[in-house]
């Protein structure tokens, strides 16, 4: 490990350069070994290229990208961006090669385009990469080809230099180094990597040998064309392999027989947030915003960074003054000196921001990390970049509807009565149907049957892959969504799936797909005899009918199917409830609630409403129906005014009679007053029902009490704390008696015999104040 020690021992300002054969200033091509997405490497690459001015620049990247290199020089191209390659026959098999403004590869590409130098991408073609079992070539593998542990070169070099933290070593040696000889780090890293490869064997990714063989072949081709006036920008680990003398036959033998697929390649926008992710297609850069700042700051990076932080915190109403900024800079520099660092790094600036600008709180510090350290920068690519027809249609629709892709999540409120908002809603619903999750419905002012929708929008880079996958369904968003909906209707496994699809078609305005979906829905509904399935399917149809009215979509066929489903539910529900077990009863309770709400949405449903009320009466009166369902049916009838309080009390009294088992009685109570149905307030305002529950609970035998306690706790724990407190006070007080509070004969306990108008009028001024209305004399 002599070379490693030599390369790291002299500190960040005086890196040694003793590498034989790989030094950029010697005869032969420039071999610039970099760390991907490192601003220090990027600055060094730019300085060395400017000094040597090679005729050709070879960059680590898929060979197919040669045809796309010129696009990087267009005005509309703005990093972060990524090269995207996907298999033509399987667009979901894709790989990305991200580049940020501070990526050495991007700097080399732009330098070559600006100076008129030739550009070649020399890595293994994506056609072979995508044919592998893992097209992303996950860097998480622990074993290397031929056995032995896989090493982290940066971690090994950091350990040799006495650092426990590899990232801190890299910052000290490369990112925060002074303005010395720009070629020195490349020379030292080349020798250090050579020593590591010699000490540990290959020690890299199993596919590195194949990739390096292809790079050497491409380098030979470039030298035949340009001589030694060639520069190679690649990962530092590969530099010794490119400098090694091999034969053409040996390299071609490594590439012989590699699997291959037909691919398409293009540029796509990328985000800083995606660069920061270590999984999937991320680049594993913990602080892309900080690295971008180091690369672009012309001087005094710490002072400029603290100014950015202060501006962000001020915009969020945090009291930050110029004195705070000055003190934070001083603290960061002091911490760097105490820790033996050449300049303050991210750790020092973060500690200073927390202590001075955030008053020791991590809450505003998290904001700084999210907005600045990582950032929400979204790149941009020109319209001339290759794209599937579906993506071009989506881009056209986005521009027409003024929907701009953004990396930061934002909320979009839509009023469906407006033409533009209606078109936006249809586009977002069509994309969801295609699996392109740019927008997700969000809770807000959105409600069943309303004319408003709320969406959360965030554009993620991998959505480009989803669009490419969806391109097999059609060349426009509408045509692709229609084709996928029709295919989904033919292959739907359950009635619920088809009803959900019908609802989605109405939301997305897919009129051409509705006939196919409706035929499949009618066929499936005619064959399905499970009442639970029918009840689960009806709410989606009801919502679709209501949304159709708001959006101006024809829904006549849906209305007929929904009415037929409702009739069949009314016929089959009472027998299905009779004798149901505990689990089945809990599921049927949800279905009863869903059907009740759905029937309220169906147009001209008066006849069905009466029929439904009769069904609920049969369930509430049937002794073989579980108590949970009888109690729920009784409560719905009471809330709808189908039975009076005087009729509800006998139902409760019978359900809580000594002839009913305690568990069944507790289940009845749960169905009647449980959950979020407002049952607590019902007991608060009707002391007669409360007294029945209290009397029954007092009469439960001790042996059965432990069986019913969990049910009762589940029922009453859902009440608001104020409701529970009031119920406790009422039970502790007992029935009222004496004085003016004594109820009249036959009156409800706790209530006067008639309306006290004087007391009621006392509430009116407060109501007028709340509602903003004027009191009428």
């Amino acid at each position: 490990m002599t070379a490693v020690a030599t390369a790291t021992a002299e500190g960040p300002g005086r890196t040694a350069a003793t590498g034989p054969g790989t030094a950029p200033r010697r005869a032969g091509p420039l071999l610039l070994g970099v760390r991907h997405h490192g601003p220090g490497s990027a600055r060094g690459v730019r300085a060395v290229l400017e000094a040597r001015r090679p005729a050709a620049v070879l960059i680590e990247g898929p060979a197919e990208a040669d045809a796309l290199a010129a696009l990087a020089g267009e005005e509309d191209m703005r990093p972060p961006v990524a090269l995207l390659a996907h298999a033509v026959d399987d667009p979901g098999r894709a790989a990305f090669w991200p580049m940020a403004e501070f990526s050495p590869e991007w700097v080399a590409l732009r330098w070559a385009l600006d100076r008129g130098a030739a550009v070649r991408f020399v890595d293994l073609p994506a056609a072979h990469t995508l044919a592998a079992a893992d097209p992303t070539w996950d860097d998480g593998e622990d074993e290397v080809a031929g056995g032995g542990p896989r090493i982290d070169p940066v971690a090994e070099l950091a350990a040799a230099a006495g650092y426990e933290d590899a990232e801190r070593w890299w910052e000290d040696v490369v990112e925060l180094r002074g303005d010395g000889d720009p070629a020195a780090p490349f020379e030292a890293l080349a020798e250090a990597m050579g020593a590591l490869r010699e000490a540990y064997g290959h020690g890299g990714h199993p596919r590195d040998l194949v990739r390096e063989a292809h790079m050497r072949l491409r380098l030979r081709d470039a030298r035949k064309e340009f001589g030694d006036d060639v520069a190679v920008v690649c990962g530092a680990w590969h530099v010794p392999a490119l400098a090694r003398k091999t034969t053409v036959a040996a390299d071609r033998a490594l590439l012989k027989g590699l699997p291959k697929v037909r691919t398409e390649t293009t540029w796509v926008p990328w985000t800083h947030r995606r660069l920061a992710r270590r999984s999937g297609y991320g680049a594993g850069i913990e602080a892309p915003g900080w690295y971008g700042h180091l690369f672009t700051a012309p001087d005094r990076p710490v002072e400029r960074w603290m100014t950015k932080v202060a501006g962000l915190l001020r915009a969020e109403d945090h009291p930050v003054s110029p004195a705070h900024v000055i003190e934070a800079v001083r603290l960061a520099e002091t911490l760097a000196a105490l820790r033996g660092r050449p300049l303050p790094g991210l750790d020092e600036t973060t500690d200073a921001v927390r202590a001075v600008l955030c008053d020791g709180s991590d809450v505003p510090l998290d904001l700084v990390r999210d907005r600045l350290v990582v950032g929400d920068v979204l790149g941009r690519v020109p319209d001339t970049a290759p794209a599937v027809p579906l993506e071009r249609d989506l881009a056209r629709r986005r521009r027409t509807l003024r929907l701009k892709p953004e990396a930061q999540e934002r909320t979009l409120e839509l009023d469906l009565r407006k033409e533009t908002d209606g078109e936006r809603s249809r586009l977002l619903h069509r994309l969801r149907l295609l699996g392109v999750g740019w927008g997700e419905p969000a809770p807000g002012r959105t409600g069943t049957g309303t004319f408003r929708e709320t969406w959360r929008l965030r554009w993620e880079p991998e959505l480009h892959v989803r669009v490419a996958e969806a391109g097999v369904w059609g060349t426009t968003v509408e045509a692709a969504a229609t084709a996928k909906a029709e295919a989904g209707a033919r292959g739907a496994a359950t009635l619920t799936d088809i009803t959900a699809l019908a609802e989605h078609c109405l939301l997305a305005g897919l009129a051409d797909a509705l006939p196919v979906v409706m035929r499949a829905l009618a066929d499936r509904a005619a064959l399905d005899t499970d009442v639970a399935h029918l009840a689960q399917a009806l709410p989606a149809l009801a919502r679709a009918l209501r949304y159709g009215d708001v959006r101006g979509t024809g829904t006549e066929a849906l209305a007929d199917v929904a009415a037929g489903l409702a009739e069949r539910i009314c016929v089959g529900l009472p027998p299905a409830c009779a004798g149901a077990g505990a689990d089945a009863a809990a599921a049927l309770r949800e279905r009863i609630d869903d059907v009740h709400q759905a029937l309220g949405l169906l147009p001209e449903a008066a006849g069905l409403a009466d029929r439904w009320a009769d069904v609920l009466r049969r369930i509430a009166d049937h002794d073989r129906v579980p108590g949970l369902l009888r109690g729920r049916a009784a409560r719905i009838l009471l809330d709808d005014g189908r039975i009076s309080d005087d009729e509800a009390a006998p139902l409760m009294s019978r359900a809580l009679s000594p002839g009913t088992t305690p568990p069944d009685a507790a289940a009845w109570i749960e169905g009647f007053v449980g959950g979020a149905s407002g049952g607590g307030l019902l007991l608060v305002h009707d002391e007669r029902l409360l007294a029945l529950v209290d009397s029954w609970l007092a009469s439960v035998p001790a042996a059965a009490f432990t069986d019913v306690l969990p049910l009762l706790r589940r029922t009453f724990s859902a009440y608001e704390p104020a409701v529970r407190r009031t119920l406790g006070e009422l039970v502790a007080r007992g029935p009222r008696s004496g004085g003016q509070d004594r109820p009249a004969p036959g009156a409800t306990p706790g209530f006067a015999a008639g309306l006290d108008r004087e007391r009621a009028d006392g509430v009116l001024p407060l109501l007028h104040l709340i509602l903003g209305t004027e009191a009428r004399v």
Side-chain angles (χ1 to χ4, degrees), residues 273-359:
R273 198 169 299 280
R274 180 59 63 184
L275 281 170
R277 298 189 184 179
R278 291 191 176 275
S279 59
Y281 298 113
I285 305 302
E286 293 182 352
W290 165 254
Y291 277 3
H293 170 77
L294 288 181
F295 182 71
T296 57
D299 56 10
R300 307 181 73 175
V302 178
E303 289 86 343
R304 294 178 184 275
W305 178 257
M306 292 301 180
T307 303
K308 282 185 180 180
V309 173
L312 172 64
L313 294 177
R314 283 185 191 136
E316 298 295 330
D317 294 329
H318 290 276
V320 178
S321 68
H324 285 94
V325 175
I326 295 171
E327 188 60 31
V329 171
R330 289 175 177 170
L331 179 56
E333 292 173 343
T334 302
L335 290 173
L338 291 174
R339 295 169 181 175
R341 308 198 68 183
L343 288 172
L346 181 59
D347 289 342
E348 288 70 36
T349 56
T350 299
D351 290 343
V353 168
R354 178 192 288 110
V356 180
L357 303 184
C358 300
D359 294 325

Side-chain angles (χ1 to χ4, degrees), residues 253-511:
L254 288 173
L255 298 172
K256 187 177 181 180
L258 288 180
K260 189 176 183 179
V261 295
R262 193 160 58 98
T263 62
E264 291 180 351
T265 310
T266 187
W267 289 103
V268 296
W270 206 251
T271 67
H272 273 185
R273 198 169 299 280
R274 180 59 63 184
L275 281 170
R277 298 189 184 179
R278 291 191 176 275
S279 59
Y281 298 113
I285 305 302
E286 293 182 352
W290 165 254
Y291 277 3
H293 170 77
L294 288 181
F295 182 71
T296 57
D299 56 10
R300 307 181 73 175
V302 178
E303 289 86 343
R304 294 178 184 275
W305 178 257
M306 292 301 180
T307 303
K308 282 185 180 180
V309 173
L312 172 64
L313 294 177
R314 283 185 191 136
E316 298 295 330
D317 294 329
H318 290 276
V320 178
S321 68
H324 285 94
V325 175
I326 295 171
E327 188 60 31
V329 171
R330 289 175 177 170
L331 179 56
E333 292 173 343
T334 302
L335 290 173
L338 291 174
R339 295 169 181 175
R341 308 198 68 183
L343 288 172
L346 181 59
D347 289 342
E348 288 70 36
T349 56
T350 299
D351 290 343
V353 168
R354 178 192 288 110
V356 180
L357 303 184
C358 300
D359 294 325
S361 173
D362 281 341
V363 175
L365 185 64
D366 288 341
L367 178 69
V368 173
R369 287 187 177 125
D370 184 68
R371 299 279 186 86
L372 293 182
V373 177
V374 176
D376 288 309
V377 179
L378 174 65
R380 188 174 61 207
V381 300
D383 294 337
T384 54
V388 295
L390 180 63
E391 186 164 10
R392 294 201 179 281
D393 179 67
L394 174 57
R396 181 182 60 82
R397 296 292 298 155
R398 284 199 313 245
R399 289 192 295 269
T400 301
L401 299 176
R402 299 187 298 279
L403 285 175
K404 182 181 179 182
E406 294 177 319
Q408 187 174 2
E409 183 178 285
R410 72 182 182 97
T411 300
L412 178 66
E413 296 280 353
L414 299 179
D415 184 342
L416 302 181
R417 298 170 298 181
K418 299 178 180 178
E419 182 178 355
T420 298
D421 282 0
E423 288 296 325
R424 288 173 173 174
S425 173
R426 282 186 278 274
L427 175 64
L428 293 172
H429 279 295
R430 289 169 182 173
L431 291 175
R432 288 192 73 220
L433 195 149
L434 291 170
V436 182
W438 178 17
E440 292 294 331
R445 290 188 289 178
T446 303
T448 301
T450 185
F451 56 84
R452 294 189 182 276
E453 277 186 351
T454 303
W455 291 81
R456 282 196 297 264
L457 302 182
R458 171 180 281 181
W459 186 264
E460 297 284 4
E462 55 264 38
L463 292 181
H464 290 283
V465 177
R466 302 290 175 264
V467 173
E469 287 180 299
V472 301
W473 297 105
T475 58
T476 67
V477 175
E478 182 177 2
T482 298
K484 188 171 184 181
E486 292 173 349
R490 298 187 187 100
T494 65
L495 178 61
T496 305
D497 291 340
I498 302 181
T499 53
L501 184 59
E503 179 184 15
H504 211 150
C505 287
L506 285 174
L507 295 174
L510 301 176

